[in-house]
C-alpha cells in the first residue's frame, strides 16, 4: 500500500501540487527518494531518519521508496522533509491513512524532530486555500500563512506536536496574521532646497509610474531626490501587498510574516551580478527587480553597472516579468517596477562644470555615457539634467513643499487614471497607470489637436524619437494633464513632457 501526502513545488511565485508517495516493500533494506529532487531533497533521507528516531520510531528493515510526483517537475528545497516524514508515519501505521487528506504540508526537520521555518509559506498557503485544503507548516511560518485567508492551519514546533494534534491528544492554537509593522521614517521632500525642476519631474514620475533618470555632477542631490520617491507614492492595495509578500516569502526576506503597506525601495550596489539584479542562481531566486515589485528600483551610478546586467533589465521593464531560463524549465517572477536611475555626465563627474572637468573632454563624457545602451535609455520616460545646488540656495533657500502635499496631488492623479482605465476596459485587465497604457487605449486617452500633432512632428525629428520614445512622451503628457485635472492633453502638456526627453546624441556626447 502507498501512503500519500500533498505538498508543493515552487515555480517562481506559483505553487505546483506535488504528491509525496511512500511505499514499504520486501527486499534489501534501502531508502530511496526519486522524483527529480535537488541535493537538499536527497539529503532529506538522513534528516527524516534522525527525526523519526528522536520521537521513538525506527525505520523497518525494508525497501523504502519515496516518490515525488509528478516526476518530471524539478523539486528544490528542504520543505519536503515534513511531508516525507508524515507519509512515512502513515505507511508505518502510526497515523491513520486519511489523517493527511485535505492538507498541504511543508517544513524542514531538525535531527531532534524540530520543524524549522522554510521559504514560500505564503504562496503555499494561498495555493492550498484555492484547492480547499488546510496547511501544516512550521510554527514560525504560521503568521505568514495566516494571510492566505480563512483556512485550517496547523503550525507546529516539532514533528511530535503534529502527531499529537492529529491524534487529538494536543491542540495547537491557530496562528494569526502578523501585525503590520509601523512605517519607518521616510525622508521628506521638504528637506530638498532648490532643484524645483527635478522635484517636478519626481512628482510626474510618481503620478504616472514613469521611469526616471537624473544626470548631474556629484552632490547635486540625485540620490537624495530618489530616496524621497516612496514618500509621495500612494500606499499599496491589499492585492499589491500580497503580491509583494509572495515574492519576499520565496526569497526568505518576509520578516516575521508581516505585510507592509509601504512600497518596496531597492537600491543594489553597482557591483551586483546579473543573477542578483534580474534573478537566478542555483535555485533561481528572485532578483532585486522582483524584490522591488510594485515599488521602486533605484540604480545609482548607472554606467558603473556591467553593461550585460543593464541590458538584461530591458525585457523585465517592458513586460513586468523577469523570466529565468533553465535547460529543462523556465521560472518567472513578477517585476512591475518603477526604475529610478542616477548618473554623472562623465567619469570625473564635472563635464558640465567649467574649470572642474578633467582634460579628457569631450572623450571622457562620450566613453562614460555610452556604457548605457540606447535601447535601455529609450525605456526611461523622464530624463533630466540636474545642475549643482548653489551655496546661496543652501544658505538661504526656503524649505521645499512637504511630501504629504505632493502625495495628495499624486493620489488624485492616480485616482483619475484608475477611473478612466476602468471605464475603458473591455473585459481585459486595465492598466494601473499611464506608464502602462499602450496601443489603441493610449490613442483614446491622448487625442491631440492640430497644434499638438505639429509639435510632436517637429520634436520627433529634432530629438530623433524612436516609436517607443514617441509613445513615452505621450504617456508623460497624459500624466501632466492628470496632475492638472485636465481631460485633454494640450500643447503645453506636450511641451513639458518633451522637456524631460534627452536626444540620443545629447545623451551620448559631451555636454
Amino acid at each position: 500500500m502507498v501512503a500519500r501526502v500533498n505538498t508543493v513545488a515552487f515555480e517562481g511565485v506559483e505553487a505546483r501540487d506535488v504528491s509525496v508517495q511512500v511505499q514499504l516493500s520486501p527486499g534489501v533494506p534501502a531508502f530511496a527518494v526519486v522524483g527529480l529532487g535537488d541535493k537538499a531533497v536527497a539529503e532529506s533521507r538522513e534528516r527524516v531518519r534522525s527525526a523519526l528516531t528522536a520521537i521513538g520510531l525506527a525505520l523497518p528493515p525494508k525497501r523504502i521508496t519515496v516518490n515525488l510526483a509528478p516526476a518530471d517537475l524539478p523539486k528544490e528545497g528542504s520543505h519536503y522533509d515534513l511531508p516525507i516524514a508524515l507519509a512515512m508515519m502513515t505507511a508505518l501505521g502510526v497515523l491513520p491513512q486519511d489523517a493527511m487528506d485535505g492538507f498541504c504540508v511543508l517544513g524542514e526537520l531538525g535531527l531532534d524532530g524540530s520543524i524549522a521555518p522554510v521559504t514560500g509559506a505564503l504562496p503555499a498557503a494561498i495555493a492550498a486555500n484555492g484547492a480547499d485544503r488546510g496547511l501544516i507548516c512550521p510554527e514560525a511560518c504560521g503568521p505568514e500563512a495566516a494571510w492566505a485567508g480563512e483556512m485550517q492551519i496547523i503550525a507546529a514546533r516539532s514533528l511530535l506536536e503534529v502527531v499529537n494534534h492529529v491524534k487529538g491528544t494536543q491542540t495547537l492554537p491557530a496562528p494569526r496574521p502578523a501585525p503590520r509593522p509601523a512605517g519607518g521614517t521616510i525622508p521628506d521632500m521638504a528637506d530638498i532646497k532648490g532643484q524645483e525642476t527635478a522635484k517636478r519631474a519626481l512628482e510626474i514620475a510618481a503620478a504616472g509610474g514613469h521611469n526616471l533618470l537624473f544626470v548631474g555632477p556629484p552632490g547635486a542631490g540625485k540620490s537624495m531626490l530618489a530616496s524621497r520617491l516612496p514618500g509621495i507614492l500612494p500606499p499599496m492595495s491589499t492585492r499589491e501587498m500580497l503580491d509583494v509578500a509572495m515574492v519576499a516569502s520565496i526569497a526568505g526576506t518576509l520578516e516575521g510574516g508581516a505585510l507592509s503597506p509601504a512600497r518596496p525601495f531597492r537600491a543594489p550596489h553597482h557591483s551586483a551580478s546579473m543573477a542578483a539584479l534580474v534573478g537566478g542562481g542555483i535555485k533561481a531566486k528572485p532578483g532585486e527587480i522582483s524584490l522591488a515589485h510594485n515599488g521602486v528600483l533605484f540604480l545609482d551610478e548607472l554606467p558603473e553597472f556591467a553593461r550585460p546586467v543593464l541590458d538584461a533589465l530591458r525585457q523585465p521593464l517592458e513586460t513586468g516579468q523577469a523570466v529565468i531560463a533553465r535547460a529543462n524549465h523556465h521560472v518567472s517572477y513578477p517585476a512591475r517596477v518603477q526604475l529610478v536611475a542616477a548618473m554623472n555626465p562623465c567619469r570625473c563627474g564635472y563635464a558640465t562644470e567649467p574649470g572642474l572637468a578633467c582634460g579628457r573632454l569631450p572623450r571622457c563624457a562620450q566613453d562614460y555615457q555610452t556604457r548605457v545602451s540606447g535601447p535601455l535609455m529609450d525605456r526611461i520616460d523622464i530624463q533630466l539634467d540636474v545642475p549643482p545646488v548653489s551655496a546661496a540656495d543652501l544658505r538661504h533657500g526656503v524649505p521645499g513643499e512637504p511630501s504629504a502635499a505632493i502625495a495628495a496631488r499624486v493620489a488624485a492623479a492616480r485616482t483619475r487614471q484608475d477611473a478612466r482605465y476602468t471605464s475603458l476596459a473591455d473585459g481585459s485587465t486595465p492598466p494601473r497607470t499611464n506608464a502602462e497604457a499602450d496601443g489603441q487605449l493610449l490613442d483614446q486617452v491622448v487625442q491631440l489637436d492640430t497644434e499638438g500633432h505639429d509639435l510632436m512632428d517637429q520634436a520627433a525629428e529634432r530629438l530623433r524619437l524612436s516609436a517607443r520614445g514617441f509613445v513615452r512622451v505621450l504617456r508623460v503628457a497624459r500624466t501632466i494633464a492628470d496632475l492638472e485635472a485636465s481631460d485633454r492633453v494640450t500643447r503645453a502638456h506636450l511641451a513639458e513632457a518633451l522637456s524631460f526627453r534627452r536626444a540620443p546624441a545629447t545623451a551620448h556626447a559631451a555636454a
Side-chain angles (χ1 to χ4, degrees):
M1 185 174 59
V2 177
R4 290 178 171 84
V5 171
N6 294 312
T7 185
V8 293
F10 297 107
E11 285 190 340
V13 294
E14 298 296 325
R16 296 274 303 273
D17 283 339
V18 170
S19 175
V20 178
Q21 306 167 0
V22 174
Q23 183 181 55
L24 307 181
S25 58
V28 178
F31 189 168
V33 179
V34 298
L36 206 58
D38 67 351
K39 184 67 172 176
V41 176
E43 292 174 346
S44 67
R45 294 174 299 179
E46 302 307 320
R47 291 191 294 271
V48 169
R49 189 194 305 273
S50 296
L52 293 177
T53 301
I55 63 173
L57 292 177
L59 296 181
K62 293 185 177 182
R63 182 172 184 81
I64 304 171
T65 304
V66 178
N67 179 41
L68 307 178
D72 61 345
L73 178 66
K75 322 294 190 308
E76 298 176 339
S78 59
H79 66 274
Y80 296 98
D81 292 0
L82 184 58
I84 291 175
L86 293 177
M88 189 83 68
M89 297 174 75
T90 303
L92 292 171
V94 177
L95 295 175
Q97 286 294 323
D98 61 349
M100 294 294 106
D101 291 351
F103 281 100
C104 175
V105 184
L106 73 163
E108 177 185 332
L109 289 176
L111 300 183
D112 59 352
S114 61
I115 305 177
V118 293
T119 60
L122 179 57
I126 292 175
N129 194 16
D132 292 326
R133 292 175 181 156
L135 183 73
I136 300 177
C137 67
E139 182 185 51
C141 297
E144 173 185 339
W147 287 106
E150 295 295 329
M151 60 184 297
Q152 184 179 3
I153 300 176
I154 301 174
R157 290 176 295 180
S158 67
L159 181 59
L160 189 59
E161 283 190 356
V162 176
V163 175
N164 290 339
H165 183 89
V166 170
K167 289 188 172 183
T169 60
Q170 179 181 2
T171 301
L172 296 174
R176 303 183 65 180
R180 297 172 183 173
T185 303
I186 300 177
D188 198 284
M189 291 284 285
D191 300 333
I192 301 176
K193 297 180 179 180
Q195 302 294 13
E196 298 304 321
T197 303
K199 288 188 283 189
R200 170 66 173 171
L202 204 64
E203 179 179 343
I204 295 170
H210 303 288
N211 298 329
L212 174 65
L213 171 66
F214 290 129
V215 182
K222 304 184 294 296
S223 300
M224 191 176 182
L225 285 160
S227 66
R228 280 150 178 77
L229 178 58
I232 62 176
L233 290 172
M236 289 189 291
S237 64
T238 302
R239 178 70 253 181
E240 289 176 325
M241 283 192 291
L242 279 175
D243 289 343
V244 170
M246 288 173 69
V247 177
S249 178
I250 292 293
T253 60
L254 189 60
E255 297 181 2
L259 275 64
S260 172
R263 294 187 180 273
F265 182 84
R266 306 290 297 190
H269 191 261
H270 60 73
S271 62
S273 65
M274 187 178 300
L277 200 59
V278 183
I282 298 176
K283 295 184 179 180
K285 289 290 187 179
E288 292 289 336
I289 193 170
S290 294
L291 293 172
H293 179 58
N294 286 331
V296 178
L297 177 66
F298 176 48
L299 301 182
D300 198 9
E301 306 296 344
L302 186 66
E304 298 294 341
F305 285 82
R307 182 160 182 167
V309 174
L310 290 180
D311 286 341
L313 295 177
R314 287 152 53 179
Q315 183 260 350
L317 289 176
E318 200 73 24
T319 64
Q321 293 283 330
V323 179
I324 305 166
R326 289 290 183 265
N328 54 355
H329 71 294
H330 287 67
V331 177
S332 178
Y333 288 107
R336 186 69 66 183
V337 303
Q338 186 171 354
L339 175 66
V340 179
M343 61 181 285
N344 296 327
C346 63
R347 175 170 287 280
C348 71
Y350 296 103
T352 58
E353 300 299 305
L356 296 178
C358 66
R360 294 189 62 245
L361 282 178
R363 186 68 179 179
C364 175
Q366 293 174 346
D367 291 345
Y368 192 70
Q369 296 192 25
T370 51
R371 292 184 179 186
V372 184
S373 67
L376 179 61
M377 292 288 288
D378 212 26
R379 286 168 168 81
I380 300 178
D381 303 6
I382 300 176
Q383 304 166 17
L384 182 68
D385 290 312
V386 181
V389 181
S390 68
D393 285 336
L394 294 176
R395 290 197 311 270
H396 309 297
V398 296
E401 192 176 16
S403 292
I406 301 174
R409 295 196 296 269
V410 169
R414 289 282 184 109
T415 300
R416 289 179 61 86
Q417 293 169 59
D418 182 67
R420 178 172 60 245
Y421 292 126
T422 300
S423 66
L424 294 176
D426 54 355
S428 59
T429 303
R432 300 174 304 171
T433 60
N434 290 325
E436 299 176 17
D438 209 349
Q440 294 183 355
L441 182 60
L442 185 62
D443 292 338
Q444 285 182 268
V445 301
V446 181
Q447 297 181 0
L448 303 181
D449 54 19
T450 303
E451 289 186 349
H453 281 297
D454 291 342
L455 178 61
M456 287 303 297
D457 290 343
Q458 296 171 15
E461 181 178 355
R462 179 172 299 179
L463 296 178
R464 287 181 281 176
L465 294 176
S466 66
R468 181 184 289 113
F470 190 95
V471 167
R472 290 179 183 271
V473 169
L474 296 181
R475 292 173 178 172
V476 174
R478 179 65 267 178
T479 299
I480 295 171
D482 286 333
L483 283 169
E484 296 181 2
S486 172
D487 292 330
R488 296 189 60 83
V489 175
T490 67
R491 179 185 174 91
H493 301 144
L494 290 171
E496 185 175 5
L498 287 166
S499 70
F500 295 129
R501 194 79 187 177
R502 304 171 87 225
T506 304
H508 301 292

